[in-house]
Amino acid sequence: MGQTMAEKLLARAAGKKEVAPGELINAKIDLALGNDITAPVAIKEFARIGVEKVFDPERIALIPDHFTPNKDIAAAEQVKLMREFARRYGIVHYYEVGRMGVEHALLPELGLVLPGEVIIGADSHTCTYGALGAFATGVGSTDLAAAMATGELWFKVPPTIRLVFTGELPPLLGGKDLILYAIGRLGVDGARYAALEFTGPAILALEMDGRFTMSNMAIEAGAKAGLIAPDAKTEAYLQGRARRPYTVLRGDADAPVLAEHYIDVSTLEPQVAAPFSPANVHPVSSLAGTVLDQVVIGSCTNGRLDDLREAAAILKGRRVHPRVRLLVIPATQAVYRQALKEGLLEIFIAAEAAVSTPTCGPCLGGHMGILAEGEVALATTNRNFVGRMGHPGSKVYLSNPAVAAASAVAGAIIHPKELGEVK
Amino acid sequence: MAVFSGKIWKFGDDVDTDAIIPARYLNTSDPAELARHCMEDADPTFSAKLSPGDIIVAGKNFGCGSSREHAPIAIKAAGIACVIAESFARIFYRNAINIGLPILEAAEASRCLAEGDRVEVDLEKGEIRHLEKGEVYRAVPFPPFMQELIAAGGLINYVRQKVKAT
């Protein structure tokens, strides 16, 4: 009987020939990640373990990105704690303002997360790296502390839910629409404890940036991982980027799965998640006309180059609606720079958007675009819980970058195709 | 404290970590400060009306969303003795076990208990007894490895023992 991709990845890290769903294993960690919210707690817990050094200073990444550039004294103190820890233990991959990026965009870009690996991060969106064929999952700070000390962590082997995306994706849709649609169908706990596996012709057709978006939001269905089998596009992405040798692992076709769902994408409209759940998903046309105060394009979900290109294609020659504040936040320094070279930033600024240095910022209601009571935002981010972007009485809708850009121009949620020609 | 009793505060399904502790308070990890804002966006008066030893009972998928350990820390520091839910989101589940916040997965208790009810909880037996009605609800037992973690007093103590032994 065959093994799923999740099982093969965990078996390798546990030094076993095979593992079965439900089995508790101890797995070696290829990379452990923390940020300015979770690492400070992990650093305090690490001190209690009583080890002299970290398991491997090259296999820990500490990225202050949530409240950076430090929004206040308390945030600055948290980053200071990280910086001192990074210096003391010789952490190689510690990146601050000017060199950093939103962690889940930055680590793949730097070639630090690779196919076949097991990655943990004290951030729920660590599942992003599943797009590269790694078993990557979010954990808490105490787990990060244990992993930094020992290089190992316990896992329960998850069963796999396979989503097969068939058909050709219509224009103006991307990975965001596929994953929002899937979350809408599964519900916020539909994949709880399971590994999601995304496959089918529509996944193969997606570029890496769109695949990262999909794996990124696996957690929004409660999943432990969101896996995509590596292919030629994965290999091309890793060319000249991968920092370590790696082994590609794919699942067996006959491996038993918990469930398999087929989704025909050819008739899909752009998808929008309405407050207050990422599973409250509707076709954009049914929410059209929802009046907006703010639009945010960025985050670990949709702040990559392809996302900015899609937004710029809509915004070129247009202006943001006078009522709307549009924030564009390139996810990493490299994305920012490339967007500058390609003239994308010029398009955004000419459209009267504010362009920011990389940060998680408004996505979690941290800083850089907080909502007042009663305000409504459309964002390319990943969550729209009560109070997510600011006041508990504010609202967040979630969409792809093209819908976000078009809606910023219209001043209300709109299907980008309704925008018409540039005058 | 394997057996204790307390008053119940009831919540619904899919209580997310932004509701448990909003991100605007995550520029600190001070448990007392986090406790002051526990469940604030679900119920702004929550931390003020709590008594130490109270118990949270919720529906399915409690603690979904972010990996912030600040969520179970805020609940624990607020004096909540235990969280009982039909099910937990997996990162919250790990975090609670790791920091020693008692949690019980008990679907029947989640369905039958109401706000203000008083229950006695036996963590070792995984039993929840309604103090007025006398009804007993059973929790899903922890696998042996998790019991070891809980008995050690959380993951750090467990790892410390392991590191010392090698």
Side-chain angles (χ1 to χ4, degrees), chain A residues 24 26 36-38 40-41 44-46 48-51 67 71-72 74-75 78 121-124 137-143 145-146 149-150 152-156 188-189 192-194 219-220 222-224 276 364-366 383 385-388 390-392, chain B residues 14 16-19 22-31 34 40-42 44 60-62 64-70 73 86-95 97-99 105 143-146 149 153-164:
Chain A
L24 285 163
N26 213 36
D36 50 327
I37 288 178
T38 59
V41 178
K44 286 179 198 161
E45 294 299 315
F46 179 86
R48 289 179 50 215
I49 298 175
V51 287
F67 294 141
K71 75 172 181 115
D72 56 20
Q78 298 215 110
D123 188 282
S124 60
T137 194
V139 296
S141 297
T142 298
D143 276 321
T150 65
E152 294 177 359
L153 214 54
W154 69 270
F155 294 95
K156 188 160 95 175
V188 285
D189 73 338
R192 206 170 52 90
Y193 284 93
I219 178 69
E220 264 49 82
K224 189 165 187 170
F276 293 100
L364 73 157
R383 293 193 176 126
F385 302 139
V386 170
R388 177 71 183 178
H391 195 282
Chain B
D14 304 318
D16 61 78
T17 52
D18 281 276
R24 57 185 177 276
Y25 303 119
L26 299 185
N27 55 358
T28 176
S29 56
D30 171 30
L34 296 171
E40 188 174 292
D41 283 1
K60 63 184 175 73
N61 203 28
F62 185 86
C64 64
S66 101
S67 70
R68 62 189 71 159
E69 206 160 289
H70 309 62
I73 291 173
E86 184 182 332
S87 62
F88 292 89
R90 61 160 279 277
I91 305 178
F92 183 92
Y93 182 93
R94 276 187 92 106
N95 287 347
I97 301 283
N98 284 348
I99 69 154
E105 215 171 81
F145 170 70
M146 305 293 293
L149 265 187
L155 182 68
I156 294 300
N157 289 342
Y158 178 83
V159 172
R160 232 164 85 187
Q161 289 166 13
K162 241 174 58 173
V163 168
K164 265 192 200 154

Side-chain angles (χ1 to χ4, degrees), chain A residues 77-415:
Chain A
E77 294 292 344
Q78 298 215 110
V79 174
K80 188 174 158 193
L81 194 73
M82 282 176 87
R83 186 182 305 123
E84 287 170 355
F85 180 87
R87 280 193 192 141
R88 179 168 170 198
Y89 292 97
I91 305 300
V92 178
H93 302 293
Y94 175 73
Y95 301 102
E96 286 208 55
V97 167
R99 297 169 188 90
M100 54 77 77
V102 174
E103 51 197 310
H104 307 307
L106 186 67
L107 297 196
E109 190 183 279
L110 294 177
L112 290 173
V113 285
L114 299 166
E117 297 192 332
V118 169
I119 317 279
I120 61 109
D123 188 282
S124 60
H125 293 109
T126 302
C127 50
T128 307
Y129 321 132
L132 288 165
F135 190 93
T137 194
V139 296
S141 297
T142 298
D143 276 321
L144 172 60
M148 288 198 299
T150 65
E152 294 177 359
L153 214 54
W154 69 270
F155 294 95
K156 188 160 95 175
V157 178
T160 293
I161 297 174
R162 186 177 292 144
L163 302 182
V164 187
F165 294 88
T166 63
E168 199 181 326
L169 202 60
L172 301 167
L173 273 77
K176 184 63 162 287
D177 303 287
L178 299 189
I179 190 64
L180 282 176
Y181 183 79
I183 296 162
R185 269 189 54 174
L186 291 166
V188 285
D189 73 338
R192 206 170 52 90
Y193 284 93
L196 281 175
E197 200 179 289
F198 307 122
T199 177
I203 299 299
L204 296 176
L206 281 181
E207 298 304 321
M208 285 312 297
D209 283 3
R211 296 182 187 183
F212 285 126
T213 304
M214 292 205 66
S215 294
N216 174 272
M217 287 189 74
I219 178 69
E220 264 49 82
K224 189 165 187 170
L227 303 172
I228 298 175
D231 63 1
K233 284 181 182 170
T234 323
E235 296 285 358
Y237 178 84
L238 291 166
Q239 192 76 40
R241 206 186 282 271
R243 301 279 188 109
R244 300 183 286 271
Y246 59 87
T247 313
V248 169
L249 295 173
R250 298 184 184 89
D252 298 321
D254 65 340
V257 293
L258 187 64
E260 189 170 57
H261 304 287
Y262 281 79
I263 297 169
D264 178 8
V265 308
S266 54
T267 56
L268 278 189
E269 253 195 58
Q271 304 287 304
V272 177
F276 293 100
S277 164
N280 187 12
V281 174
H282 306 270
V284 63
S285 56
S286 71
L287 294 168
T290 306
V291 173
L292 300 171
D293 300 290
Q294 178 166 300
V295 173
V296 176
I297 298 172
S299 82
C300 60
T301 310
N302 281 118
R304 297 181 183 80
L305 200 56
D306 282 354
D307 302 316
L308 300 191
R309 284 175 181 152
E310 281 167 30
I314 304 273
L315 288 166
K316 191 169 185 178
R318 294 194 167 101
R319 271 196 181 179
V320 174
H321 191 279
R323 189 174 51 228
V324 174
R325 312 178 293 269
L326 171 60
L327 299 164
V328 181
I329 311 177
T332 68
Q333 199 75 0
V335 169
Y336 196 2
R337 195 172 179 197
Q338 185 60 28
L340 177 70
K341 277 190 191 158
E342 291 183 16
L344 309 182
L345 302 189
E346 173 69 32
I347 293 169
F348 298 140
I349 295 166
E352 298 179 341
V355 180
S356 154
T357 191
T359 178
C360 304
C363 170
L364 73 157
H367 65 148
M368 285 297 296
I370 302 303
L371 301 174
E373 184 170 14
E375 287 192 325
V376 180
L378 177 63
T380 67
T381 57
N382 42 54
R383 293 193 176 126
N384 56 353
F385 302 139
V386 170
R388 177 71 183 178
M389 201 175 275
H391 195 282
S394 63
K395 286 181 181 170
V396 178
Y397 292 79
L398 306 173
S399 77
N400 77 27
V403 171
S407 304
V409 171
I413 293 178
I414 190 176
H415 191 309

